[in-house]
Amino acid sequence: MRNAVPPQDAAADLNEAVRLHRLGSLDEAELLYRAVLARFPVHPDALLNLGLIYKARGMFENALGLWRMAAVNNPDHGGAPLASGKVLSMLGRLPEALAGFQQALRIAPTDVDALNCRGNVLARLGRHLDALASYDQALGHQPDYGLALINRGNVLGYLRRPEEAVESYRAGLRLHPDSVEALGQLLHQQLQVCDWLDYDQTSTLIAQRIGRGESADLPFGFLSHSDDPAAQLACAQVHARARFPVRPAPLWTGDAYRHDRIRVAYVSADFRNHAVAHLIAGLFELHDKGRFELSGYALGPSVEDPVRARIRAAFPIFHDVARLSDLEVAQMIRAAEIDIVVDLTGLTTHCRPGIFAHRPAPLQFNYLGHPGTVGADFFDYILADGHVIPPGAERFYSEQVIRLPHSYQVNDHSRVVPPETPTRVEAGLPDDAFVFACFNATYKLNPQVFDTWMRLLSKVPGSVMWLLESHPAVVRNLRAEAQERGVSGDRLVFAPKVTPEDHLARHRLADLFLDTLPYNAHTTASDALWTGLPIVTCAGQGFAARVAASLLNAVGLPELITESLEAYEALALDLATHPERLADLKARLAARIKDAPLFDTDLSRRHIEAAYTAAWERQQRGEPPAAFNVEP
């Protein structure tokens, strides 16, 4: 039914309600909106604004009900479908949110807010090219729409078009210099192509803003340029508060489960050809199925590859939940009466922390995917060790810390390194040169570490630095950076993408792996050690900056850990210029690989299961989560 009475008949009450609403006097505004609705029951603005009050109070279903009434009775009024789409998007009900934005755009095709919001939902649905088109439509109508430019940068980054993403972020930040987290996302995309033009200035500004309690970077991106664990916690907490301003009601409310086996659910966006999957697949296969009932929940891309097939086969129960909302996934976990849910994604790509905000399980763990705190009180524990979180550093984590005896990082002892090694010529390397290598992702590289590498190349005649070839701009920018430091760009050699197995095999061509700081090699460090390639690291302060130290301790080579970049450079130079010392290290590493705790998957399995059991027993006794160490 359409409004039978012209809306202006309610104008006085409505205007006063809006004034009070803007002042934050929600109770008084609600009374006036209701007064309008008592006379005009389907008045579109009164229904819309009363719904916004409900939204502010966290009464989302009430708000959606009012907006449905407004949309049905006022089909030419786009405010209600747009407001519905925003709340449905926040609730993770993405197909419904998309329908709301589409309805709003049928009414007002040039509404840039609706076009921008539609782009956000399309991006979350994995339809990144459609999202890009929606942002471009918005910018076609309003070229100075900064929010659309920033969101466009997000999608371009996901599409691995970092240079275009940087351009879009810069344009957006010129219009909105204080835009939430965009400055950090700009820096992250610059780091993807080793564009260090304003690295010091930008990273300092981000740190200052976070120090003031402002949002300036995503927590995962912040790890690549901050080694301050207190700032990392602050960044994660600000992000959690912004992402979950109103916490949903918990699905698990204290019910006591009594199962024959402890029910453990692993949730990950990386059950595919991904570093996390390569590390943890063996654990899933070796878990004690007599004591633990396992299930897997796959988020993110629904990729069917050999790694996904292997992981699927390891789980008695496996769900692909990529297209379900956060609430629907959480409801599945709650209905299955899961005792312990383990998030393997944290705040990395395709993360879904909203699932855990619904508190679907009595115990919720942060493990492996995100090397740091998530800053949210709905995670109870983080699995770590005494190296990545040394005694006294617990205060920088919102989770209770469980320390495993050797290294927190589980590895797959069954990974095969092909016996055939390519020649150096085939790999583009000089036959007789000393080969320094670093196969870390390019966002982990920074000017300070690169300075050190170039000094090493200058001091070791004929040596080369072997890096991953991830983007043409990386090659161009790093060779230019080398030239600026007096080193020929030809002494940087870039390894093209190959299969994981062939990548492992070519490690044998390198002489020494050089780590990065403040974000160390993680899986890449394990790859190097597994193939017998020593790694020199500099241990920092945060979790991400101490992983290589953890791994080196777990293979019995602590002498490769340094505490400053000066000591790191000196050790690398010593090994590069004393072949007998390097040969001794390689021989000791080769002798230890098979028996080292780092690569003993079953030992790691026993320690992780002991952690789960101890946490579960505390919960069964009615005790709150508390930090503890797992004994070897």
Side-chain angles (χ1 to χ4, degrees):
M1 182 179 70
R2 300 292 301 278
N3 284 343
V5 183
Q8 55 264 33
D9 288 4
D13 282 349
L14 193 61
N15 288 339
E16 178 62 11
V18 170
R19 187 186 72 83
L20 292 167
H21 194 162
R22 287 174 177 164
L23 291 172
S25 302
L26 300 188
D27 292 341
E28 293 91 332
E30 179 181 358
L31 289 174
L32 285 173
Y33 289 137
R34 290 191 178 281
V36 173
L37 291 170
R39 286 176 285 155
F40 313 121
V42 293
H43 192 293
D45 294 321
L47 287 169
L48 173 64
N49 291 338
L50 182 57
L52 291 173
I53 287 178
Y54 283 147
K55 175 189 173 185
R57 292 171 176 162
M59 301 165 65
F60 302 124
E61 291 303 326
N62 301 66
L64 290 169
L66 289 176
W67 294 334
R68 278 192 293 270
M69 184 188 303
V72 167
N73 290 283
N74 303 275
D76 296 329
H77 194 282
L82 179 59
S84 294
K86 290 179 178 180
V87 166
L88 290 164
S89 176
M90 183 178 68
L91 295 174
R93 293 158 60 177
L94 301 183
E96 295 173 79
L98 180 59
F101 297 136
Q102 298 284 40
Q103 184 179 350
L105 287 166
R106 281 192 291 272
I107 298 165
T110 62
D111 185 329
V112 294
D113 187 15
L115 287 165
N116 178 64
C117 289
R118 182 179 68 177
N120 293 343
V121 168
L122 288 167
R124 290 174 64 188
L125 287 168
R127 296 169 55 183
H128 294 93
L129 290 174
D130 291 335
L132 187 62
S134 198
Y135 298 135
D136 286 341
Q137 270 186 274
L139 292 165
H141 297 299
Q142 186 180 326
D144 63 349
Y145 188 17
L147 191 57
L149 284 163
I150 288 165
N151 289 330
R152 184 175 181 272
N154 296 340
V155 168
L156 288 165
Y158 182 86
L159 291 170
R160 297 183 186 277
R161 293 159 61 176
E163 291 179 297
E164 294 173 77
V166 167
E167 182 181 344
S168 199
Y169 281 133
R170 282 184 170 146
L173 283 163
R174 279 194 292 270
L175 295 162
H176 293 284
D178 296 325
S179 182
V180 172
E181 296 172 344
L183 188 62
Q185 290 166 289
L186 164 64
L187 180 58
H188 190 68
Q189 289 304 315
Q190 289 181 267
L191 291 175
Q192 296 283 6
V193 290
C194 300
D195 171 5
W196 301 331
L197 182 64
D198 47 9
Y199 175 86
D200 290 336
Q201 177 186 352
T202 304
S203 57
T204 299
L205 181 56
I206 291 169
Q208 289 171 344
R209 288 186 180 179
I210 288 171
R212 295 195 298 264
E214 301 170 11
S215 183
D217 201 351
L218 294 172
F220 178 72
F222 191 55
L223 300 178
S224 66
H225 57 91
S226 170
D227 190 29
D228 180 348
Q232 292 170 4
L233 173 61
C235 180
Q237 289 175 326
V238 168
H239 177 78
R241 287 194 296 269
R243 193 160 185 161
F244 304 104
V246 179
R247 282 279 297 280
L251 296 179
W252 179 78
T253 56
D255 302 22
Y257 297 156
R258 295 291 182 263
H259 305 136
D260 293 337
R261 295 175 293 168
I262 300 173
R263 296 183 183 178
V264 178
Y266 287 96
V267 181
S268 179
D270 303 321
F271 289 152
R272 53 195 167 92
N273 183 15
H274 186 278
V276 168
H278 293 311
L279 291 174
I280 203 167
L283 172 68
F284 299 150
E285 292 168 339
L286 292 177
H287 258 311
D288 184 346
K289 309 300 195 297
R291 296 173 53 221
F292 297 88
E293 182 179 312
L294 301 184
S295 56
Y297 292 77
L299 314 171
S302 297
V303 176
E304 292 301 331
D305 59 22
V307 179
R308 168 67 67 92
R310 179 185 175 189
I311 288 174
R312 185 192 300 275
F315 280 109
I317 304 166
F318 188 87
H319 304 284
D320 186 336
V321 296
R323 295 192 175 276
L324 299 184
S325 71
D326 292 348
L327 176 59
E328 288 170 326
V329 179
Q331 287 171 333
M332 287 179 66
I333 294 169
R334 174 64 182 87
E337 294 192 352
I338 299 299
D339 295 297
I340 297 172
V341 62
V342 184
D343 180 16
L344 297 172
T345 304
L347 297 175
T348 61
T349 306
H350 305 298
C351 63
R352 301 272 299 274
I355 294 169
F356 310 97
H358 286 285
R359 175 56 75 170
L363 295 173
Q364 305 194 155
F365 278 60
N366 166 24
Y367 178 50
L368 196 62
H370 182 78
T373 182
V374 294
D377 62 4
F378 46 79
F379 278 96
D380 304 299
Y381 289 105
I382 181 171
L383 283 180
D385 61 55
H387 303 289
V388 291
I389 305 181
E394 301 87 348
R395 65 187 185 278
F396 303 126
Y397 295 81
S398 60
E399 308 89 343
Q400 295 295 320
V401 177
I402 300 177
R403 291 189 178 89
L404 302 177
H406 301 292
S407 176
Y408 83 102
Q409 190 191 88
V410 64
N411 271 270
D412 179 11
H413 71 287
S414 67
R415 290 188 72 188
V416 175
V417 182
E420 302 83 13
T421 303
T423 66
R424 280 194 167 185
V425 171
E426 289 170 335
L429 295 165
D431 259 332
D432 56 352
F434 189 93
V435 177
F436 295 105
C438 180
F439 295 134
N440 289 358
T442 50
Y443 66 82
K444 299 183 182 183
L445 278 58
N446 59 53
Q448 190 177 15
V449 168
F450 195 74
D451 287 344
T452 304
W453 292 351
M454 294 306 98
R455 285 195 297 271
L456 286 167
L457 292 188
S458 298
K459 294 173 182 176
V460 181
S463 60
V464 297
M465 188 74 206
W466 198 17
L467 303 160
L468 284 181
E469 182 181 358
S470 58
H471 192 280
V474 171
V475 178
R476 182 177 68 248
N477 289 338
L478 286 183
R479 284 188 168 151
E481 293 284 348
Q483 291 289 158
E484 285 186 15
R485 291 161 174 80
V487 176
S488 170
D490 293 338
R491 293 178 70 184
L492 304 185
V493 180
F494 292 89
K497 187 173 183 178
V498 295
T499 66
E501 294 76 20
D502 288 343
H503 179 58
L504 286 175
R506 68 185 174 187
H507 278 72
R508 299 190 189 102
L509 302 177
D511 293 301
L512 187 64
F513 193 111
L514 298 179
D515 200 8
T516 48
L517 186 77
Y519 200 133
N520 284 175
H522 293 185
T523 307
T524 45
S526 288
D527 287 348
L529 295 170
W530 182 239
T531 61
L533 178 61
I535 177 169
V536 173
T537 190
C538 178
Q541 301 302 309
F543 191 127
R546 301 181 63 82
V547 169
S550 167
L551 307 184
L552 285 166
N553 272 291
V555 292
L557 293 175
E559 61 266 42
L560 292 176
I561 304 165
T562 64
E563 301 294 333
S564 70
L565 283 176
E566 292 76 18
Y568 163 96
E569 181 178 344
L571 177 58
L573 179 62
D574 181 66
L575 292 172
T577 54
H578 292 86
E580 71 286 355
R581 295 178 190 171
L582 183 58
D584 176 66
L585 267 175
K586 287 188 172 184
R588 286 191 285 135
L589 176 58
R592 292 173 182 175
I593 287 174
K594 294 299 182 182
D595 298 323
L598 179 63
F599 298 115
D600 188 336
T601 311
D602 197 54
L603 180 65
S604 293
R605 185 268 305 171
R606 295 197 299 273
H607 291 152
I608 290 169
E609 288 181 351
Y612 292 163
T613 301
W616 175 81
E617 287 174 346
R618 284 189 61 86
Q619 190 271 328
Q620 291 289 298
R621 293 193 299 266
E623 299 172 11
F628 61 89
N629 297 339
V630 174
E631 296 302 319

Coordinates of all heavy atoms in Angstrom, one line a residue, residues 41-87:
P41 N 1.3 4.9 8.8 CA 1.9 3.6 9.2 C 3.1 3.2 8.3 O 3.9 2.4 8.7 CB 0.8 2.6 9.2 CG -0.4 3.4 9.4 CD -0.2 4.7 8.7
V42 N 3.1 3.6 7.0 CA 4.2 3.2 6.1 C 5.0 4.3 5.6 O 5.5 4.3 4.5 CB 3.6 2.3 5.0 CG1 3.0 1.0 5.5 CG2 2.5 3.1 4.2
H43 N 5.0 5.4 6.4 CA 5.8 6.6 6.0 C 7.3 6.1 5.8 O 7.9 5.6 6.7 CB 5.8 7.6 7.1 CG 6.3 9.0 6.6 ND1 7.6 9.2 6.4 CD2 5.7 10.2 6.4 CE1 7.8 10.4 6.0 NE2 6.6 11.1 6.0
P44 N 7.9 6.3 4.6 CA 9.2 5.7 4.3 C 10.3 6.3 5.1 O 11.2 5.5 5.6 CB 9.4 6.1 2.8 CG 8.5 7.2 2.5 CD 7.3 7.1 3.4
D45 N 10.3 7.6 5.4 CA 11.4 8.2 6.1 C 11.3 7.8 7.6 O 12.4 7.5 8.3 CB 11.4 9.7 6.0 CG 11.8 10.1 4.6 OD1 12.6 9.4 3.9 OD2 11.1 11.0 4.0
A46 N 10.1 7.7 8.1 CA 10.0 7.4 9.6 C 10.4 5.9 9.8 O 11.1 5.6 10.7 CB 8.5 7.6 10.0
L47 N 10.0 5.0 8.8 CA 10.4 3.6 8.9 C 11.9 3.5 8.8 O 12.5 2.7 9.5 CB 9.6 2.8 7.9 CG 8.1 2.5 8.1 CD1 7.5 2.0 6.8 CD2 7.9 1.6 9.3
L48 N 12.4 4.2 7.8 CA 13.9 4.1 7.6 C 14.7 4.5 8.8 O 15.6 3.8 9.3 CB 14.3 5.0 6.4 CG 15.8 5.1 6.1 CD1 16.4 3.8 5.8 CD2 16.0 6.2 5.0
N49 N 14.3 5.7 9.4 CA 15.1 6.2 10.5 C 14.8 5.5 11.8 O 15.8 5.3 12.6 CB 14.7 7.7 10.7 CG 15.3 8.6 9.5 OD1 16.2 8.1 8.8 ND2 14.7 9.7 9.3
L50 N 13.6 5.0 12.0 CA 13.4 4.2 13.2 C 14.2 2.9 13.1 O 14.8 2.4 14.1 CB 11.9 3.8 13.3 CG 11.5 3.0 14.6 CD1 12.0 3.7 15.9 CD2 10.0 2.8 14.6
G51 N 14.3 2.4 11.9 CA 15.2 1.2 11.7 C 16.7 1.5 12.0 O 17.4 0.7 12.5
L52 N 17.1 2.7 11.6 CA 18.5 3.1 12.0 C 18.7 3.1 13.5 O 19.8 2.8 13.9 CB 18.8 4.4 11.3 CG 18.9 4.4 9.8 CD1 19.1 5.8 9.2 CD2 20.0 3.5 9.3
I53 N 17.7 3.5 14.2 CA 17.8 3.5 15.7 C 18.0 2.1 16.2 O 18.8 1.8 17.0 CB 16.6 4.2 16.3 CG1 16.7 5.7 16.1 CG2 16.6 3.9 17.8 CD1 15.6 6.5 16.7
Y54 N 17.2 1.2 15.6 CA 17.3 -0.2 16.0 C 18.7 -0.8 15.7 O 19.3 -1.5 16.4 CB 16.2 -1.0 15.3 CG 14.8 -0.9 15.9 CD1 13.7 -1.0 15.1 CD2 14.6 -0.7 17.3 CE1 12.4 -0.9 15.6 CE2 13.4 -0.6 17.8 CZ 12.2 -0.7 17.0 OH 11.0 -0.6 17.5
K55 N 19.1 -0.4 14.5 CA 20.5 -0.8 14.1 C 21.5 -0.4 15.1 O 22.4 -1.1 15.5 CB 20.8 -0.3 12.7 CG 22.2 -0.6 12.2 CD 22.6 0.2 10.9 CE 24.1 0.0 10.6 NZ 24.4 0.8 9.4
A56 N 21.4 0.9 15.5 CA 22.4 1.4 16.5 C 22.4 0.7 17.8 O 23.4 0.6 18.5 CB 22.1 2.9 16.7
R57 N 21.2 0.1 18.1 CA 21.1 -0.7 19.4 C 21.4 -2.1 19.2 O 21.3 -2.9 20.1 CB 19.6 -0.5 19.9 CG 19.3 0.9 20.3 CD 17.8 1.0 20.6 NE 17.5 2.3 21.2 CZ 16.2 2.8 21.2 NH1 15.2 2.1 20.7 NH2 16.0 4.0 21.7
G58 N 21.8 -2.5 18.0 CA 22.1 -3.9 17.7 C 20.9 -4.8 17.5 O 21.0 -6.0 17.4
M59 N 19.7 -4.2 17.3 CA 18.5 -4.9 17.0 C 18.2 -5.0 15.5 O 17.3 -4.4 14.9 CB 17.3 -4.2 17.7 CG 17.5 -4.0 19.2 SD 16.4 -2.8 20.0 CE 14.8 -3.5 19.7
F60 N 19.1 -5.9 14.9 CA 19.2 -5.9 13.5 C 17.9 -6.5 12.8 O 17.4 -5.9 11.8 CB 20.4 -6.7 13.0 CG 21.7 -6.1 13.6 CD1 22.6 -6.9 14.3 CD2 22.0 -4.8 13.3 CE1 23.7 -6.4 14.8 CE2 23.2 -4.2 13.9 CZ 24.1 -5.0 14.6
E61 N 17.4 -7.5 13.4 CA 16.2 -8.1 12.8 C 15.0 -7.1 12.8 O 14.2 -7.1 11.9 CB 15.8 -9.4 13.4 CG 16.8 -10.5 13.1 CD 17.0 -10.8 11.6 OE1 16.0 -10.7 10.9 OE2 18.1 -11.1 11.2
N62 N 14.9 -6.4 13.9 CA 13.8 -5.4 14.0 C 14.0 -4.3 12.9 O 13.0 -3.9 12.3 CB 13.8 -4.7 15.4 CG 13.7 -5.7 16.5 OD1 14.5 -6.5 16.8 ND2 12.6 -5.6 17.3
A63 N 15.2 -3.9 12.7 CA 15.5 -2.9 11.7 C 15.1 -3.4 10.3 O 14.5 -2.8 9.5 CB 17.0 -2.5 11.7
L64 N 15.5 -4.6 10.0 CA 15.3 -5.2 8.7 C 13.8 -5.4 8.5 O 13.3 -5.2 7.4 CB 16.0 -6.6 8.6 CG 17.5 -6.5 8.5 CD1 18.1 -7.9 8.7 CD2 18.0 -5.9 7.2
G65 N 13.0 -5.7 9.5 CA 11.6 -5.8 9.4 C 10.9 -4.5 9.0 O 10.0 -4.5 8.1
L66 N 11.4 -3.4 9.7 CA 10.8 -2.1 9.3 C 11.2 -1.7 7.9 O 10.4 -1.2 7.1 CB 11.4 -1.1 10.3 CG 10.9 -1.1 11.7 CD1 11.6 0.0 12.5 CD2 9.4 -0.8 11.8
W67 N 12.4 -2.0 7.5 CA 12.8 -1.7 6.1 C 12.1 -2.5 5.1 O 11.9 -2.0 4.0 CB 14.3 -1.8 6.0 CG 15.0 -0.8 6.9 CD1 14.6 0.4 7.3 CD2 16.3 -0.9 7.5 NE1 15.4 1.1 8.1 CE2 16.6 0.3 8.2 CE3 17.3 -1.9 7.5 CZ2 17.7 0.5 9.0 CZ3 18.5 -1.7 8.2 CH2 18.7 -0.5 8.9
R68 N 11.8 -3.8 5.4 CA 11.0 -4.6 4.4 C 9.7 -3.9 4.2 O 9.1 -3.8 3.1 CB 10.9 -6.0 4.9 CG 12.1 -6.9 4.6 CD 11.8 -8.4 4.9 NE 11.6 -8.6 6.3 CZ 12.6 -9.0 7.1 NH1 13.8 -9.1 6.7 NH2 12.3 -9.2 8.4
M69 N 9.0 -3.5 5.3 CA 7.7 -2.8 5.3 C 7.8 -1.6 4.4 O 7.0 -1.3 3.6 CB 7.2 -2.5 6.7 CG 5.8 -1.9 6.7 SD 5.4 -1.3 8.3 CE 5.5 -2.8 9.3
A70 N 8.9 -0.8 4.6 CA 9.1 0.4 3.9 C 9.2 0.1 2.4 O 8.6 0.8 1.5 CB 10.3 1.2 4.4
A71 N 10.0 -0.9 2.0 CA 10.3 -1.2 0.6 C 9.0 -1.7 -0.1 O 8.8 -1.3 -1.2 CB 11.4 -2.2 0.5
V72 N 8.3 -2.5 0.6 CA 7.0 -3.1 0.0 C 6.0 -2.0 -0.3 O 5.4 -1.9 -1.3 CB 6.5 -4.2 0.9 CG1 5.0 -4.6 0.4 CG2 7.4 -5.4 0.9
N73 N 5.9 -1.1 0.6 CA 4.9 -0.1 0.5 C 5.3 1.2 -0.2 O 4.5 2.1 -0.5 CB 4.3 0.3 1.9 CG 3.5 -0.9 2.5 OD1 2.4 -1.1 2.2 ND2 4.2 -1.6 3.4
N74 N 6.6 1.3 -0.4 CA 7.1 2.5 -1.1 C 8.2 2.1 -2.1 O 9.4 2.3 -2.0 CB 7.8 3.5 0.0 CG 6.9 3.9 1.1 OD1 6.1 4.8 1.0 ND2 6.9 3.1 2.2
P75 N 7.7 1.5 -3.2 CA 8.6 0.8 -4.1 C 9.5 1.8 -4.9 O 10.5 1.4 -5.5 CB 7.7 0.1 -5.1 CG 6.4 0.8 -4.9 CD 6.3 1.2 -3.5
D76 N 9.2 3.1 -4.8 CA 10.1 4.1 -5.5 C 11.0 4.8 -4.5 O 11.7 5.7 -4.9 CB 9.2 5.2 -6.1 CG 8.3 4.6 -7.2 OD1 8.8 3.6 -7.9 OD2 7.2 5.1 -7.5
H77 N 11.1 4.3 -3.3 CA 12.0 4.9 -2.2 C 13.2 4.0 -2.0 O 13.0 2.8 -1.5 CB 11.2 5.1 -0.9 CG 11.8 6.0 0.1 ND1 12.8 5.6 0.9 CD2 11.6 7.3 0.4 CE1 13.2 6.6 1.7 NE2 12.5 7.6 1.4
G78 N 14.4 4.4 -2.4 CA 15.5 3.5 -2.3 C 16.2 3.4 -1.0 O 17.2 2.6 -0.8
G79 N 15.9 4.3 0.0 CA 16.6 4.3 1.3 C 16.5 3.0 2.0 O 17.6 2.5 2.6
A80 N 15.4 2.4 2.1 CA 15.2 1.1 2.8 C 16.0 0.0 2.3 O 16.7 -0.7 3.0 CB 13.7 0.8 3.0
P81 N 15.9 -0.3 0.9 CA 16.8 -1.4 0.4 C 18.3 -1.1 0.6 O 19.0 -2.1 0.9 CB 16.4 -1.4 -1.1 CG 15.1 -0.7 -1.2 CD 15.0 0.3 -0.1
L82 N 18.7 0.1 0.5 CA 20.1 0.4 0.7 C 20.5 0.2 2.2 O 21.5 -0.5 2.4 CB 20.4 1.9 0.3 CG 21.8 2.4 0.5 CD1 22.8 1.6 -0.3 CD2 21.9 3.9 0.2
A83 N 19.7 0.6 3.1 CA 20.0 0.4 4.5 C 20.0 -1.1 4.8 O 20.8 -1.6 5.6 CB 19.0 1.1 5.4
S84 N 19.0 -1.8 4.3 CA 18.9 -3.3 4.5 C 20.2 -4.0 4.0 O 20.8 -4.8 4.6 CB 17.7 -3.9 3.7 OG 16.5 -3.4 4.3
G85 N 20.6 -3.6 2.8 CA 21.9 -4.2 2.2 C 23.1 -4.0 3.1 O 23.9 -4.9 3.3
K86 N 23.2 -2.8 3.7 CA 24.3 -2.5 4.6 C 24.3 -3.4 5.8 O 25.3 -3.9 6.2 CB 24.3 -1.0 5.0 CG 24.7 -0.1 3.8 CD 24.7 1.3 4.2 CE 25.1 2.3 3.1 NZ 25.1 3.7 3.4
V87 N 23.1 -3.6 6.4 CA 23.1 -4.4 7.6 C 23.3 -5.9 7.2 O 24.0 -6.6 7.9 CB 21.7 -4.2 8.3 CG1 21.5 -5.3 9.4 CG2 21.8 -2.9 9.1

